[in-house]
Amino acid sequence: MLRLLLSLSLLLAAPSALCAPHRIFIAGDSTAAAYGPERAPQAGWGQALQTYLDPTVWEVRNHAKGGRSTRSFIDEKRLDAIAAELQRGDVLLIQFGHNDAKFEDPTRYTEPGGAYPQYLLRYVQLARDKGATPVLITPVARLLYDFGSLLDTHALYTQAMKQLATREQVALIDLNDSSTRWIRALGEQGARPYFLFVPEQNKADGTHFSTAGANAVACLVVRDWVALQPTLKPALKRDIDCDVRSAGQGADASKPSRVVHERDIAITQPGPHGGAGPTTAYPFFADDTDLPFVLRKRVLHKGAGIGLHPQHKDEIYYIVSGRGSYVLDGKQHDVAAGDALLTRTGSLHALQQVGDDDLVVLLAYPR
């Protein structure tokens, strides 16, 4: 534990914007690697990592490469390339496991209980010899379901890495766990857009990520890294509200989350407050009286309007499409798609549809 605390203490002295940034080196496989635009939408979480961090404080150097294992990455001198640049205050993120399991390829395969942790230890020792901080990252989960259950294809490698982290007191990010929970929270079909399921490219790949998936997994990495080292928070450039460890737990069954279709709730009405013409109202979640707000959509068909009336509550109109003439406290305003109208208690207002197209308005106000 003392060694781990000393190692993490290097991160406490994060450089200010006035200093040269420390570097984050990534040693890993295709799930972390960077891809050019010709490979779009394929992306690795490592290439999304910099978007979460202030580059004046932390600069990402992504050495991850597709198809590599702990063994082949070293045999190809890729760890030597990192060693040539790594220095005190830097961080080495280490994620392998996908290709270490390829037992049919002796140039990549490592036994989870033998060569795999032995090779991982070489990465850890290199970082420590250079005065840098090693961080082990368990292999990210695959989108692979069987009979409705998500399969854990990395179990032995995840376990071996955790054991090494405990034995050698190395900081560890359990990406296998967090990504598994993330996939389960999305569901098998909901997770597909985050992986390379691209019909137009004839791809159905549950191992590699789309741009959306790379960003989501990078968020998981940074979130757990900040949990290990809270002093990283000032360097964040994006939110990391992607914690799914407790997703769905403690939900009130009497207040279910759900989706409604406006076609099922449409109500044809005359214009409210003495307004002219036909309108269609959509009272979203009208039965959820515990909500602190009301959300409605109203379509003012040709010639329709909301008549002049005093306002008894704060209310927002958002113009979704179409054009209208809005009167607020005696002043007329031409309004169109993208305009938002705030009417406070005590004001007078009216809205009239203009032109040939329906005027579609989204309304929100406190209950």
Side-chain angles (χ1 to χ4, degrees), residues 135-194:
V135 179
L136 293 169
I137 303 178
T138 58
V140 64
R142 287 186 171 95
L143 178 56
L144 181 60
Y145 275 77
D146 185 43
F147 293 101
S149 296
L150 181 65
L151 300 182
D152 182 358
T153 62
H154 305 302
L156 294 177
Y157 291 90
T158 297
Q159 181 181 1
M161 183 180 284
K162 287 181 176 180
Q163 291 172 344
L164 175 66
T166 299
R167 184 171 66 251
E168 298 296 329
Q169 299 181 21
V170 186
L172 179 129
I173 293 172
D174 194 352
L175 184 58
N176 187 263
D177 177 72
S178 62
S179 59
T180 295
R181 293 174 183 273
W182 168 66
I183 292 171
R184 285 175 175 161
L186 287 166
E188 183 176 3
Q189 296 303 314
R192 288 168 73 92
Y194 297 89

Side-chain angles (χ1 to χ4, degrees), residues 217-259:
V217 174
C219 185
L220 296 176
V221 171
V222 176
R223 181 189 64 79
D224 281 356
W225 189 9
V226 169
L228 284 173
Q229 192 53 53
T231 54
L232 288 169
K233 285 184 178 180
L236 294 180
K237 301 295 287 184
R238 297 176 61 179
D239 75 79
I240 53 170
D241 185 19
C242 51
D243 187 352
V244 296
R245 286 176 295 184
S246 59
Q249 296 180 7
D252 187 344
S254 67
K255 300 177 182 179
S257 302
R258 63 193 188 282
V259 175

Side-chain angles (χ1 to χ4, degrees), residues 18-72:
L18 298 177
C19 302
H22 287 326
R23 285 87 51 82
I24 301 167
F25 290 84
I26 303 174
D29 53 36
S30 58
T31 60
Y35 299 89
E38 73 283 356
R39 300 286 295 275
Q42 184 169 355
W45 65 259
Q47 76 185 87
L49 192 64
Q50 187 69 77
T51 67
Y52 285 90
L53 299 167
D54 184 344
T56 68
V57 181
W58 292 103
E59 177 187 330
V60 176
R61 302 281 183 92
N62 190 0
H63 287 252
K65 190 72 174 177
R68 272 59 182 183
S69 68
T70 53
R71 179 193 298 273
S72 62

